[in-house]
Each structure stands twice: as C-alpha cells, then as structure tokens.
C-alpha cells in the first residue's frame, strides 16, 4: 500500500501517516523501483493501535515507548497502566481548572451584559476586561484570577 492507500484504509490523512512515519512509529519498506514507502496489513494494524493510544491521550513519545516494548517482545501493559495512573490526576486537575475558567467566563459575561462598549482612549484598552478584579499571584509567582464562588 502507498501512503494514500494506508491513510484511506485507516480513516486518517496522508499527512498523519507521513507524520507517524517521520516519528518512527511506522517503519514502511521502500519500493526499489520508485523509492515510495510501502505499507502492509501490519502497518494498518499498527496505525489503528497508534490512533487508539492517541485517543487515550498518550503522547507520541509514550506511544513510541509502548511500541518499543511490544517490538522487543515485552508486554507494554504495565507501562500503559502506569502512564495512565499518573496522568489521570493531572487530567482531573486540568478539568477543575477548566471548570473554574468556565465559571469565571460566565460571571464575566453576566457582569458585562449591561456595560456599554468603549473605545481605547489612552487610559483604557477594553473596559470589559479592565472591570475585572486584578489577578492574585500564587506561590510560584504565576498570576491567577481570584475565584469567588
């Protein structure tokens, strides 16, 4: 199969196939007559596996590590469990941050509902944003919006 054939069979773009090939996740052979990449049924299975792993949030590097375990005949399952066990708390934290952001956005929209539009006048850029409380600084020195619930 050529790149376009593999992409069509897997339901991805040809650029996705090329990207995974550049990242060494796929290792096609070369057609000696024209130098084109040649993919087979195993590459299609591997590409489907990569796509599944990516839907679980695994990075390219992590997928490469998982595939390396499998390619060496070692079970990658303990690695997969470990990666997800460590990633899940991070994801839950990001969800909390995004929920807090959504709340701040809703509060801002509510507060701005009756505010008139303004034009920059040398003292103000956007009165809507400037009407918000100044962000506080957390212990790392990063600015964070004050959360009022």
């Amino acid at each position: 199969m050529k790149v376009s054939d593999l992409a069509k069979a897997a339901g991805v773009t040809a650029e996705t196939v090329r990207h995974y090939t550049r990242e060494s996740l796929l290792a096609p052979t070369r057609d000696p007559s024209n130098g084109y990449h040649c993919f087979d049924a195993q590459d299609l299975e591997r590409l489907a596996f990569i796509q599944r792993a990516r839907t679980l949030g695994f990075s390219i590097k992590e997928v490469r590590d998982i595939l390396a375990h499998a390619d060496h005949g070692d079970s990658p399952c303990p690695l997969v469990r470990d990666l997800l066990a460590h990633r899940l708390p991070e994801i839950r934290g990001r969800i909390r941050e995004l929920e807090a952001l959504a709340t701040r956005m809703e509060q801002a929209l509510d507060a701005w509902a009756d505010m008139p539009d303004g034009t920059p006048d040398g003292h103000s850029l956007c009165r809507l944003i400037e009407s918000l409380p100044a962000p506080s600084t957390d212990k790392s020195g990063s600015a964070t919006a004050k959360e009022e619930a």
Side-chain angles (χ1 to χ4, degrees):
M1 280 185 275
K2 293 187 282 188
V3 169
S4 59
D5 299 326
L6 179 64
K8 184 175 181 179
V12 299
T13 65
E15 185 52 40
T16 297
V17 173
R18 290 185 192 99
H19 175 68
Y20 291 155
T21 301
R22 282 190 305 271
E23 291 292 335
S24 302
L25 298 178
L26 297 171
T29 59
R30 291 267 184 192
D31 184 328
S33 66
N34 59 21
Y36 290 170
H37 285 131
C38 293
F39 298 91
D40 59 22
Q42 285 182 305
D43 292 309
L44 180 57
E45 289 175 18
R46 192 172 177 101
L47 181 54
F49 176 86
I50 294 165
Q51 292 298 103
R52 284 186 194 106
R54 297 288 286 154
T55 64
L56 279 170
F58 288 107
S59 69
I60 295 290
K61 180 193 178 308
E62 291 166 336
V63 172
R64 190 180 298 113
D65 292 344
I66 293 164
L67 291 171
H69 275 74
D71 291 345
H72 286 98
D74 300 327
S75 173
C77 295
L79 173 63
V80 167
R81 282 187 194 99
D82 188 52
L83 289 169
L84 282 187
H86 285 92
R87 174 80 45 77
L88 190 55
E90 295 170 11
I91 295 300
R92 293 201 189 285
R94 286 176 51 197
I95 290 169
R96 284 190 298 275
E97 290 171 6
L98 288 171
E99 287 174 342
L101 175 59
T103 298
R104 287 192 305 273
M105 292 171 122
E106 289 167 347
Q107 290 170 345
L109 282 172
D110 287 345
W112 296 343
D114 297 324
M115 286 182 68
D117 293 342
T119 55
D121 61 7
H123 300 288
S124 174
L125 295 173
C126 177
R127 294 176 199 267
L128 298 178
I129 293 174
E130 293 162 350
S131 71
L132 297 174
S136 61
T137 304
D138 66 13
K139 294 177 185 176
S140 69
S142 299
T144 60
K146 290 182 181 178
E147 305 221 352
E148 298 174 19

